[in-house]
Every structure is written in C-alpha cells, then in structure tokens.
Amino acid sequence: MLFKIDTETTSRPAGRIRQKNESIILRAAEIEFAAAGFKGASMNDIAQRAQLPKANIHYYFKNKLGLYMAVISDIIALWDSTLNAITPDDDPYEVLSHYIARKIRFSAENPLASRIFASELVNGAPNMKEYFREDYNLWFKGRTEVFRAWAEQGKIDAAVTPEHLIFLLWSSTQHYADFAVQIKAALGKEELDDADYQNATDTLTHIILKGCGITK
Amino acid sequence: MLFKIDTETTSRPAGRIRQKNESIILRAAEIEFAAAGFKGASMNDIAQRAQLPKANIHYYFKNKLGLYMAVISDIIALWDSTLNAITPDDDPYEVLSHYIARKIRFSAENPLASRIFASELVNGAPNMKEYFREDYNLWFKGRTEVFRAWAEQGKIDAAVTPEHLIFLLWSSTQHYADFAVQIKAALGKEELDDADYQNATDTLTHIILKGCGITK
DNA sequence: GTCTATAGAGTGATAGAC
DNA sequence: GTCTATCACTCTATAGAC
C-alpha cells in the first residue's frame, strides 16, 4: 500500500552503531506504546527501557510521532500482505484455513504489534489518516471481488457477504492478541500455550469454513 | 459480577444539580477517554467539553481514575448481563441469533463504551485488575458449561470448543464498534447505516450457527 | 456549591559541552 | 556520536476567595 513516512533524521546510510541503537530503541518503543498507547507512552520510559539517554532517541528519530510511525509502519506491511496473496483461482478451503492459521500465529508471535495497531484504530486512528484514504477502499473492494467470484462459482454460500466475512476473519484472529488479558483471565492461565492456539485455530477454521459452505 | 468502585466524593444523597452535572461530566469524559485512552485524555479537555471549570470536575469526582472508573463501570454491567441470561435448556438457535443481533446493536448504539473497554483491555487492563480476578475464570467456566451441555445433547458440533466459540461471539460483534474507522474506510462510507448492521448480523448469524451445526 | 489561581510533577524537545 | 542540563509547556490536583 501507499503509505510512506520519514522516520530517519539524517539521509546518511546507516552505520553499524546507528543500526544497532535504532533497533534497540524500536524494540523498547514497541513495548511502551503497546502498554499505554501513543499519548500514554513517554519518551522518558522508552529511553529508560532502551538504557539510553533521552536525547539519544531524539538524535535517531525526529520526534515522538516519527518514532511511533517507525514502529507502526512495520506492522502495516505485515498486515496488508496477508490478504494480497489470495486470488479467485485459489481453492477457498486451502486458502482460508491457511489464512486463519497464519493470522492466529501472527497474533501469538507478535502480540505487541497487533495491540499497537488496535490501540491506534480504537482511538480513531488519528495518526493513520493517510493510510485509510480513498485507495484503501479500492484495495478492499479488490479483495472482496475474490470472495464474490467464489460465490458465483458456488464455492461459498450466497448468504455470506464478502465484506463481512473479511471483517470476521480479521476480528476473530486478531482477538487473541488484542484481548489477551481477558482471554487469559477467562481461561485462568498465566500465558496461552501452543495447545490453546491450536484449539483456537481448529475451532475458528471449523466454524468459518463450514459456516460459509466451503467443502474440502 | 463483584466489581465495585468508589466514585462519589461525598456520601450525601445526590441533589438535583449534582445529578445533572455528574451526567454532563460523564458524557464528556466518555468521549474524551474513547478518543485517547485513559492517559491520553486530559481533565482539561473533559472540562472544556462539559463546559465546566476544571476544578468543578474534581469536586464531583475524587480524581481522574475515579472518573474513569465511573465511566467504565457502566459499561461492564452491560457486558456481563448479555451472557448471563443463557441457560442449557434454551434453544441454541434462538439464543445465539438473539445474542449476535443484540451485541451488534449494542456496538452500533454504544460505540464509545465499547471502545473504552477495548482500549483498556488492549493496554493490558491496568485499571481493571480486580475485575479479572479468580472469580472471572469461575464465571466464564459456568458460561462454557451451557455450550458443553448443548454439545452433549448433540445440538452443537463436537469440533467446536465452547471457550473459543464465546471468544468468536465477542470478537466478531465488538469489532464493529472497536474498529469502526477501518470498517468505514474499507466500505468507503462516512457512517454505517442500518443496512450495514443488518448485513453484518445476517452474515455473522449464518456463518456461526451453520458453522456450529446448529439447525433451526 | 462554584471557580480562580497556582502548586508541583512530568512532558517533549534542544542547546551545547564533551 | 554521545549525553548533561535545561527550557517551555502541559498535566493533575488543590487551596482558598466568593
């Protein structure tokens, strides 16, 4: 997607030290932003977690927003790519079961990224206005065409609106990262293990595929 | 559920003025907290939106957290009640299609409440630790029993894990409030209308009920 | 009950010595 | 490249006049 942000302070090729420090800062920022949102996180806390002086962060990143966008842009790239791979010629059963498994795995492995994205959206996406411009609608329309083609080929129930099926795929899988606290409390566990994620994947796959009338 | 918070400054019975001002403040706070999260929202902005002096808010509510909890406790009460009404003797088809419709309607009518709750959870629920205590696990277990009973009566596919079915019901319906920005951008609409919500309800009901093997 | 005026802590950001 | 010291500002919260 078309969504570029200036995150570098200088235009010089990254030196070894720079590269290392930037990645340390980004990792620290990811944790802080995930825990408190954009406004809630403080440069001070990020600096402390990165074990670097506050001014050092301002040397590597233009300002707080620049750092935030640097963290978020990585997440967005991952997001878009998941749906883009699907074409009308694919087998719905194969593709969707793969998609569900992949998104749940992503939720399990990158919970912080998911949560920062979710936090941004829940608050009305004030820092991502350009991302949700007109072309987002066009891109999404293109993606629904795939499901519509499947419906015309009788591979999916006519009662299923492609748009809302996509929303269902997104919501049900992201939920395991975004609402992890509630899920852990409900299941009475400190952390979710592989069996939990497998269970989630199996149940979601069963319900969604069968519910859409997609057969193997 | 057992989750009480002191929100009042005094213990006196609420006077007419007090009642009116508190509700004005609560409404303003709801908007601000939904837009920026707990830390991101400022008492100043809340006061300005309520058209009251900042100190006035501190007179009615103990502090920022107290105000926040007053907003949140209303939401929680609504949340719990939805699942509590279900019993094993109910007809799964009736109950679940009702549940889905009701939760989507709630997302449509109370998007701010949903988003504040979501924002709190996404950030690790720092202000709701007591809510997600041991009894939450017990309460949730009790709710899963209903679905398990249905499964034993052959009313639900054995492949469906009750826990994850509940998570699916939550995530898919809340999504329309929490991620409204993304949904509107995807559909290319300024606001979602009744037809959109009806469409969402129909598609979700079809997929989830059929996917669970629940027949009318 | 109401509101002005301000305290005191914390914020993002930068100048300038090293 | 690095980091101390500091600025200007905003935050929550309260004292005290009305």
Side-chain angles (χ1 to χ4, degrees), chain A residues 8-19 22 59-60:
Chain A
E8 302 284 344
T9 300
T10 78
S11 53
R12 288 228 240 100
R16 224 176 300 115
I17 303 173
R18 171 169 221 104
Q19 218 163 2
E22 279 183 358
Y59 174 72
Y60 288 113

Side-chain angles (χ1 to χ4, degrees), chain B residues 12 17 21 53 55-56 59-60:
Chain B
R12 287 227 237 99
I17 303 173
N21 279 347
N56 208 316
Y59 174 71
Y60 288 113

Side-chain angles (χ1 to χ4, degrees), chain A residues 33-37 115 119 123 178 181, chain B residues 36-38 118-126:
Chain A
F33 283 132
R115 267 176 237 155
S119 185
N123 293 335
D178 301 343
V181 189
Chain B
F38 174 66
S119 186
E120 178 67 20
L121 286 185
V122 163
N123 294 335

Side-chain angles (χ1 to χ4, degrees), chain B residues 88-116:
Chain B
D89 296 329
D90 289 325
D91 174 48
Y93 191 95
E94 281 303 316
V95 168
L96 289 190
S97 55
H98 257 96
Y99 185 77
I100 293 170
R102 187 175 169 195
K103 277 223 112 215
I104 287 196
R105 204 177 329 117
F106 183 80
S107 278
E109 290 166 3
N110 307 74
L112 297 183
S114 279
R115 267 176 236 153
I116 295 173

Side-chain angles (χ1 to χ4, degrees), chain B residues 126-144:
Chain B
N127 304 307
M128 288 179 59
K129 286 276 191 295
E130 21 174 342
Y131 177 62
F132 289 120
R133 268 197 142 54
E134 220 168 313
D135 35 341
Y136 188 79
N137 176 26
L138 293 175
W139 169 79
F140 187 78
K141 256 205 176 82
R143 296 293 87 203
T144 60

Side-chain angles (χ1 to χ4, degrees), chain A residues 116-138:
Chain A
I116 294 173
F117 188 65
S119 185
E120 178 67 21
L121 286 185
V122 163
N123 293 335
N127 303 309
M128 288 178 59
K129 285 275 190 298
E130 17 175 346
Y131 178 62
F132 290 120
R133 272 201 136 55
E134 219 167 313
D135 37 342
Y136 188 80
N137 176 25
L138 294 175

Side-chain angles (χ1 to χ4, degrees), chain A residues 132-178:
Chain A
F132 290 120
R133 272 201 136 55
E134 219 167 313
D135 37 342
Y136 188 80
N137 176 25
L138 294 175
W139 170 78
F140 187 78
K141 256 206 176 80
R143 297 293 86 204
T144 60
E145 292 303 332
V146 177
F147 294 81
R148 208 148 263 140
W150 284 339
E152 279 164 19
Q153 295 165 29
K155 291 179 179 172
I156 274 191
D157 287 354
V160 173
T161 310
E163 285 81 356
H164 295 286
L165 171 55
I166 295 179
F167 296 148
L168 172 61
L169 289 169
W170 283 346
S171 64
S172 59
T173 52
Q174 285 174 211
H175 191 71
Y176 288 90
D178 301 343

